[in-house]
């Protein structure tokens, strides 16, 4: 169904601007979606997608601009008003209560009542079964949400969002936990909704899905509207080019020398965990920085967790310097010389209220103490040495980590793990949430550590970070490693402009990732 | 495999009953009067256990129930003395309203964890009860009051049993079949998800704390009716029995689940065990030790249930 111009759009957001103190998250952005259209909303993390969707849902008010649903201007911008106007959003499992059943969740706050105003759970089960039947999936509505697999949770979220008639449906990364078969079913369902006249906003990083399901696409970058056009007007290359655009994020300032690669420190063969990873074979050499790229749900973090003993390996083997080791818990990994700098540093990396010194000392207490008595001189010396070596900007080693900036807090986490003297360092999203200036500092630090003889694995969703830091980049998809690309193979451009070089490389890496997902072999 | 754990409270109850019947049959365990006494003694805990089920279901806790019961018994006795029965009832329930409002406001308005607010209320309520009663017992001479709210009978059935049955039935229906009950479970199951689905979780928490204090004030009124006095000591230590009853019965300490029937069974089981311990001739100190052990077992078994 072609969107007809002249008919009132289902969603019309005009000149929407949103400022968070000094940061302009959205700059005069327009978004228009017609009834009976699947409209893709694209852009990198931080481009402004979630901000504009929050405004559409009424969860946050815009600093300026208007929102119209079905030609009617929303005067009060609250979640209630948005819901009444017919905007429905399927979250990433964020609105399911694990202790209630699937049917009870689908009808939460809209329960079917029997005589006397009492809730009729049996009727809810029947209705929910019908809803799943229109989608063509088999999910037991009587099971508790806590007991069903992630893919079913995602489908339940979507069914919940569409169980009430809505004019606008927002789907945010709806396929990350779905099997290929379930994705087909979902897309059939989305097409049905489209025929019924629902306006669908589809957010995803999976280009192949966008090309399958969307009619038009709007691309945002750095809070600005870049382009809106029918899908037919895009190719994969042009779409990626619009998304990444032309700007430096500080990574092009990092100079990379060719690494001196030593012996293999970490090898895995057919390594598989619970669900993901699947049959992973990788080799990490001394002096090498290897990156792992992959879309959401590709299994990167699962790989890190298995290597560090946080999750059990169900199959395959891990060899450290040629010797097979069993890693069943984090302590095994630490003893084997592996250290993990985790993704969620605030929750998994440091104790915010404790000082820099105390944080650094934590995994090293054995070395800093004698018979349970902590040697304060040694602990102070370690902290001072770390601060100097990693150039941590802090008032003193006694300052609480929460007073440090994101970049320096990350350095504290790295320092504490470096003090355990690991041979192998695994970094999960090392520069996430860190300001541009500090990002390149961390990348420089990573290169230095490799030069000093460590083997480093960097998992990241930020491609520029991988391109700046790594000698080799592995691409993961669905828990498997599907591509192994040498960094210099991404450097075709003969331009001397380092920013442009980096862009070309990023584009090529993006394409490789999308191809990998689509199963295209090079 | 899931199923037998859900019924463990019933299995346990029957098992213990049979054991006691065998061991203590000759000491009057099976005497109808003794069995009715178990129910009389348990009923007051059971009433509070029903409301505690809602509190735990919302992932909160109320440690002040025992103290509020004591205060309510004093307030009721003094109320009856000054204003007659209607006045007494108003004073009794009013205690619950005030305590519940304070607990609710501190927890949802200011954001202090319910553990701390109700712990503080526990001390305050007990202190106020001691103060206004001058640490003396306040007699209730009104016979009709004592009959309805305490030791009276409706035919062969003790009025306390009727209270337990009514409150239990209402609680069961509300938690399973009303939107309020559903919202309580959503708030306790995952507060963020509940809010994303449109549940006003602050209002839910306020209400369950209010309900809890009201139930506690009813318990105080029942104590007063049963023993014909208002005493500040009534309810001392009850909060632990009430929570143990709810947890034994299957309601999780972490929120999101609630079984009112289970809580009543849990209360009955604790009452049953207390009765057996007394008939066995254990001293009070030994009973306290046994009760503590039971609470630990209750939590351990429920942990296994939660995986």
């Amino acid at each position: 169904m072609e969107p007809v111009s002249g008919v009132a759009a289902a969603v019309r957001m005009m000149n929407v601007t949103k400022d968070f103190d000094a940061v302009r998250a959205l700059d005069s952005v327009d978004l228009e979606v017609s009834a009976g259209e699947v409209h893709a909303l694209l852009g990198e993390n931080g481009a402004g997608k979630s901000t504009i969707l929050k405004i559409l849902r009424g969860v946050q008010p815009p600093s300026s601009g208007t929102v119209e649903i079905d030609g009617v201007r929303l005067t009060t911008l609250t979640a209630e008003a948005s819901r009444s106007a017919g905007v429905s959003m399927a979250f990433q499992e964020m609105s399911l209560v694990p202790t209630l059943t699937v049917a009870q969740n689908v009808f939460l706050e809209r329960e079917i009542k029997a005589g006397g105003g009492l809730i009729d759970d049996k009727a809810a089960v029947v209705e929910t079964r019908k809803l799943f039947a229109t989608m063509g999936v088999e999910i037991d509505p009587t099971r508790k949400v806590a007991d069903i697999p992630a893919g079913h949770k995602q489908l339940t979220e979507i069914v919940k969002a569409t169980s009430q008639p809505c004019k606008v449906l927002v789907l945010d990364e709806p396929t990350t936990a779905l099997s290929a078969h379930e994705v087909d079913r979902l897309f059939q369902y989305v097409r049905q909704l489209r025929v019924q006249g629902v306006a669908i906003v589809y957010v995803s990083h999976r280009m192949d899905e966008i090309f399958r399901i969307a009619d038009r696409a709007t691309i945002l970058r750095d809070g600005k509207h870049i382009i809106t056009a029918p899908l037919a007007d895009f190719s994969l290359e042009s779409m990626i080019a619009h998304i990444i655009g032309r700007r430096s994020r500080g990574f092009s300032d990092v100079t990379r020398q060719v690494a001196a690669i030593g012996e293999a420190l970490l090898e895995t063969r057919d390594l598989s965990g619970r669900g993901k990873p699947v049959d992973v074979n990788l080799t990490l050499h001394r002096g090498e920085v290897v990156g792992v790229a992959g879309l959401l749900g590709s299994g990167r973090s699962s790989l890190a967790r298995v290597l560090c003993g946080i999750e059990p390996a169900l199959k395959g083997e891990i060899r450290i310097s040629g010797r097979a080791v069993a890693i069943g818990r984090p302590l095994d990994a630490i003893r084997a010389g592996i250290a993990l700098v985790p993704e969620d540093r605030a929750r998994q990396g440091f104790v915010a209220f404790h000082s820099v010194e105390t944080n650094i000392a934590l995994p090293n207490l054995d070395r800093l103490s004698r018979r349970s008595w902590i040697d304060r001189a040694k602990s102070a010396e370690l902290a001072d040495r770390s601060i100097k070596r990693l150039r941590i900007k802090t008032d003193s080693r006694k300052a609480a980590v929460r007073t440090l900036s994101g970049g320096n807090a990350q350095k504290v986490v790295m320092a504490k793990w470096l003090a355990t003297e690991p041979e192998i360092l695994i970094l999960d999203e090392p520069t996430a949430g860190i300001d541009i200036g500090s990002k390149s500092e961390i990348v420089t630090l990573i290169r230095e550590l490799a030069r000093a003889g460590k083997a480093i694995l960097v998992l990241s969703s930020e491609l520029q970070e991988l391109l700046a830091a790594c000698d080799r980049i592995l691409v993961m998809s669905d828990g498997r490693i599907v591509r192994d690309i040498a960094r210099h193979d991404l450097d075709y451009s003969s331009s001397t402009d380092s920013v442009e070089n980096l862009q070309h490389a990023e584009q090529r890496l993006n394409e490789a990732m999308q191809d990998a997902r689509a199963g295209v072999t090079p | 495999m899931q199923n037998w754990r859900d019924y463990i409270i019933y299995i346990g109850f029957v098992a213990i009953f049979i054991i006691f019947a065998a061991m203590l049959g000759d000491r009057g365990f099976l005497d109808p009067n003794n069995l009715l006494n178990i129910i009389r003694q348990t009923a007051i805990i059971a009433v509070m256990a029903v409301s505690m089920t809602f509190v735990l279901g919302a992932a909160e806790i109320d440690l002040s129930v025992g103290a509020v019961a004591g205060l309510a018994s004093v307030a009721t006795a003094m109320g009856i003395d000054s204003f007659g029965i209607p006045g007494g009832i108003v004073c009794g329930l009013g205690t619950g309203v005030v305590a519940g409002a304070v607990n609710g406001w501190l927890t949802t308005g200011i954001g202090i964890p319910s553990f701390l607010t109700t712990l503080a209320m526990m001390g305050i309520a007990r202190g106020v009860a001691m103060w206004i009663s001058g640490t003396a017992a306040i007699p209730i001479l009104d016979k009709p009051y004592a009959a309805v709210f305490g030791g009276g009978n409706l035919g062969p059935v003790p009025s306390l049993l009727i209270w337990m049955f009514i409150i239990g039935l209402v609680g069961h229906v509300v938690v399973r079949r009303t939107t309020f009950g559903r919202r309580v479970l959503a708030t306790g199951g995952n507060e963020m998800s509940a809010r994303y689905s449109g549940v006003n979780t602050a209002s839910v928490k306020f209400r369950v704390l209010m309900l809890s204090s009201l139930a506690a004030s009813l318990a105080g009124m029942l104590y007063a009716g049963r023993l014909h006095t208002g005493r500040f000591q009534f309810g001392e230590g009850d909060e632990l029995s009430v929570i143990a009853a709810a947890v034994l019965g299957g309601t999780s300490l972490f929120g999101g689940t609630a079984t009112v029937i289970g809580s009543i069974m849990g209360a009955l089981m604790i009452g049953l065990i207390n009765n057996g311990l007394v008939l066995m001739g254990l001293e009070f100190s030994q009973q306290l030790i046994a009760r503590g052990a039971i609470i630990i077992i209750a939590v351990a078994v429920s942990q296994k249930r939660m995986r």
Side-chain angles (χ1 to χ4, degrees):
Chain A
M1 218 180 111
E2 286 260 45
V4 180
S5 58
V7 174
V11 177
R12 183 179 279 134
M13 301 176 76
M14 295 197 290
N15 291 323
V16 175
T17 298
K18 178 69 184 173
D19 292 316
F20 289 107
D21 294 327
V23 179
R24 178 152 282 200
L26 289 175
D27 193 353
S28 236
V29 174
D30 291 335
L31 178 63
E32 198 183 300
V33 183
S34 313
E37 173 190 20
V38 178
H39 194 105
L41 182 59
L42 306 169
E44 288 197 302
N45 293 334
K49 301 192 305 286
S50 34
T51 311
I52 199 167
L53 290 177
K54 281 194 180 129
I55 292 173
L56 177 60
R57 276 166 49 214
V59 167
Q60 259 180 10
S63 306
S64 66
T66 60
V67 180
E68 273 177 34
I69 308 287
D70 235 11
V72 176
R73 172 116 171 240
L74 287 186
T75 42
T76 41
L77 292 161
T78 60
E80 259 303 305
S82 198
R83 193 69 196 79
S84 323
V87 178
S88 186
M89 174 147 171
F91 300 88
Q92 281 209 33
E93 300 167 45
M94 285 196 290
S95 81
L96 297 182
V97 177
T99 50
L100 297 177
T101 66
V102 168
Q104 288 171 337
N105 265 287
V106 169
F107 285 96
L108 187 60
E109 285 295 282
R110 309 178 298 108
E111 290 85 2
I112 302 176
K113 308 266 177 70
L118 297 178
I119 295 179
D120 190 345
D121 276 330
K122 293 207 177 77
V125 168
V126 169
E127 283 307 307
T128 308
R129 250 192 251 280
K130 281 194 210 151
L131 289 168
F132 279 127
T134 55
M135 207 193 254
V137 288
E138 284 275 328
I139 298 180
D140 184 354
T142 60
R143 291 192 70 190
K144 292 214 161 60
V145 163
D147 301 333
I148 62 176
H152 286 190
K153 284 184 192 162
Q154 239 179 351
L155 291 170
T156 303
E157 272 282 359
I158 294 168
V159 156
K160 180 177 167 177
T162 53
S163 58
Q164 250 188 328
C166 55
K167 298 209 179 94
V168 182
L169 176 66
V170 179
L171 295 172
D172 191 350
E173 298 276 5
T175 59
T176 51
L178 300 184
S179 66
H181 171 80
E182 285 164 341
V183 172
D184 289 336
R185 288 267 165 269
L186 175 64
F187 281 5
Q188 246 177 289
Y189 188 64
V190 168
R191 289 184 194 108
Q192 275 174 35
L193 293 172
R194 187 172 59 183
V195 163
Q196 287 166 21
V198 179
I200 298 158
V201 180
Y202 194 94
V203 179
S204 177
H205 287 286
R206 299 182 171 189
M207 303 301 177
D208 58 320
E209 285 175 14
I210 304 284
F211 277 101
R212 262 173 81 185
I213 192 70
D215 302 308
R216 284 194 303 162
T218 292
I219 299 181
L220 301 181
R221 196 204 315 144
D222 288 334
K224 295 196 176 54
H225 174 272
I226 302 298
I227 182 172
T228 297
L231 253 294
D233 293 356
F234 288 102
S235 66
L236 183 60
E237 292 80 33
S238 67
M239 188 172 275
I240 293 175
H242 283 299
I243 290 174
I244 64 180
R246 207 208 146 75
R247 79 264 169 271
S248 161
R249 249 169 316 176
F251 284 126
S252 44
D253 309 330
V254 178
T255 42
R256 242 184 32 249
Q257 289 122 352
V258 177
I261 314 283
E263 78 278 21
L265 283 182
L266 172 71
E267 294 159 88
T268 72
R269 196 157 357 161
D270 293 334
L271 188 62
S272 306
R274 212 183 298 145
K276 294 194 245 254
V278 182
D279 290 337
V280 165
N281 296 312
L282 66 81
T283 313
L284 217 58
H285 300 97
R286 186 184 292 285
E288 187 180 29
V289 181
V290 175
V292 182
L295 299 172
L296 196 60
S298 57
R300 293 192 313 262
S301 290
S302 303
L303 176 60
R305 284 200 291 274
V306 168
L307 286 173
C308 298
I310 297 169
E311 265 173 31
L314 298 180
K315 201 181 98 170
E317 66 169 13
I318 300 176
R319 283 176 182 273
I320 305 287
S321 297
R323 230 182 48 248
V325 293
I327 299 184
R329 46 191 185 135
L331 194 56
D332 295 335
I334 294 175
R335 291 218 178 105
I338 302 177
L340 169 69
V341 176
E343 182 180 355
D344 190 349
R345 77 181 76 96
R347 279 200 298 171
Q348 304 162 350
F350 56 72
V351 182
F353 291 93
H354 285 185
S355 68
V356 171
E357 177 180 347
T358 310
N359 269 287
I360 292 179
L362 188 57
N364 300 299
L365 286 175
D366 280 347
R367 224 169 314 176
L368 299 173
S369 63
R370 210 179 340 170
R371 273 190 256 211
S372 302
W373 204 255
I374 300 178
D375 185 334
R376 285 209 281 194
K378 277 202 193 156
S379 149
E381 194 249 321
L382 173 61
D384 287 334
R385 224 186 328 130
S386 302
I387 290 172
K388 195 149 163 252
R389 183 182 179 195
L390 302 184
R391 297 180 289 274
I392 302 176
K393 276 200 275 288
T394 173
D395 289 335
S396 91
R397 63 168 185 273
K398 297 227 173 288
V401 171
R402 67 189 161 92
T403 62
L404 271 52
S405 73
N408 287 302
Q410 179 70 314
K411 287 186 186 176
V412 169
V413 180
M414 290 176 74
K416 97 180 199 194
W417 287 114
L418 286 172
T420 65
E421 281 158 35
E423 297 281 274
I424 298 154
L425 203 53
I426 303 182
L427 307 168
D428 197 346
E429 304 281 358
T431 66
I434 295 181
D435 62 283
I436 294 175
S438 307
K439 277 190 207 278
S440 43
E441 260 200 73
I442 302 248
V443 170
T444 308
L445 182 59
I446 293 174
R447 300 291 312 166
E448 273 174 28
L449 291 169
R451 256 200 310 283
K454 312 243 174 274
I456 304 183
L457 193 64
V458 179
L459 305 110
S460 178
S461 57
E462 218 173 324
L463 299 188
Q464 287 213 351
E465 171 180 55
L466 290 175
L467 291 166
C470 306
D471 303 304
R472 244 189 330 138
I473 298 177
L474 307 173
V475 178
M476 274 186 87
S477 176
D478 266 335
R480 288 169 203 275
I481 296 191
V482 290
R483 215 62 41 116
D484 186 336
I485 310 173
R487 174 66 181 88
H488 59 77
D489 283 343
L490 293 166
D491 271 338
Y492 282 139
S493 181
S494 48
S495 162
T496 48
D497 179 353
S498 57
V499 175
E500 204 188 305
N501 262 334
L502 199 51
Q503 257 169 249
H504 274 267
E506 189 176 347
Q507 180 131 348
R508 212 145 279 124
L509 181 54
N510 249 312
E511 287 164 20
M513 280 165 62
Q514 296 293 347
D515 285 345
R517 244 194 63 78
V520 173
T521 37
Chain B
M1 191 45 194
Q2 187 100 356
N3 283 330
W4 73 262
R5 282 241 158 85
D6 289 339
Y7 299 118
I8 199 169
I9 182 71
Y10 305 98
I11 299 171
F13 188 88
V14 169
I16 292 180
F17 192 91
I18 292 176
I19 293 173
F20 280 175
M23 278 173 63
L24 304 164
D26 51 341
R27 294 209 203 178
F29 177 74
L30 292 170
D31 187 342
N33 217 22
N34 185 53
L35 296 177
L36 280 180
N37 258 344
I38 293 178
I39 292 182
R40 281 196 196 94
Q41 279 151 4
T42 308
I44 298 180
I45 300 285
V47 163
M48 290 193 275
V50 170
S51 62
M52 189 62 76
T53 309
F54 283 84
V55 175
L56 293 179
E60 300 290 333
I61 199 162
D62 188 349
L63 299 173
S64 65
V65 289
V68 170
L71 178 58
S73 77
V74 168
T76 306
M78 293 175 84
I80 293 179
D81 204 34
S82 311
F83 313 114
I85 293 194
I89 294 179
V90 166
C91 286
L93 291 178
T95 312
V97 170
V98 171
V102 172
N103 281 341
W105 178 66
L106 287 174
T107 305
T108 61
I110 307 223
I112 303 175
S114 56
F115 185 92
L116 292 176
T117 58
T118 59
L119 185 61
M121 176 59 74
M122 188 166 99
I124 292 172
R126 192 70 70 189
V128 170
M130 280 175 73
W131 188 29
I132 61 176
S133 65
T135 70
I138 303 181
I140 297 178
L141 304 165
D142 198 310
K143 291 241 168 59
Y145 176 83
V148 171
F149 283 92
N153 292 310
L154 197 64
V157 181
S159 48
L160 284 172
L161 174 58
I162 297 176
W163 279 109
M164 182 171 93
F165 183 76
I166 294 177
I167 303 265
L169 183 63
V170 170
H172 173 73
V173 168
V174 168
V175 84
R176 290 270 219 102
R177 307 285 305 276
T178 65
T179 50
F180 174 68
R182 196 50 56 85
R183 285 180 187 142
V184 167
L185 295 178
T187 302
N190 187 325
E191 191 177 346
M192 186 174 77
S193 296
R195 270 195 276 132
Y196 272 57
S197 298
V199 175
N200 184 341
T201 54
S203 162
V204 167
K205 290 183 191 183
F206 187 94
R207 282 172 209 224
V208 295
L209 288 172
M210 176 69 83
L211 263 181
S212 182
S213 294
L214 275 173
S217 63
L218 175 62
M221 290 164 68
L222 292 173
Y223 272 127
R226 200 170 151 226
L227 295 158
H228 303 266
T229 52
R231 264 187 230 267
F232 76 85
Q233 297 100 321
F234 285 160
E236 218 154 53
D238 278 355
E239 53 278 340
L240 290 183
S241 302
V242 168
I243 293 170
V247 171
L248 246 183
T251 298
S252 163
L253 276 172
F254 297 123
T257 62
T259 158
V260 166
I261 296 185
S263 299
I264 294 187
M265 286 303 300
L268 284 172
M269 181 128 120
I270 292 178
L272 176 67
I273 293 174
N274 280 344
N275 183 270
L277 294 178
V278 168
L279 284 181
M280 272 192 238
L282 288 186
E283 291 173 21
F284 185 61
S285 54
Q286 294 165 326
Q287 290 176 43
L288 282 179
I289 295 173
R291 251 202 311 184
I294 290 168
I295 291 174
I296 291 177
I297 295 171
V299 175
V301 169
S302 77
Q303 294 278 53
K304 271 211 190 139
R305 204 179 296 137
M306 285 183 290
R307 217 178 318 121

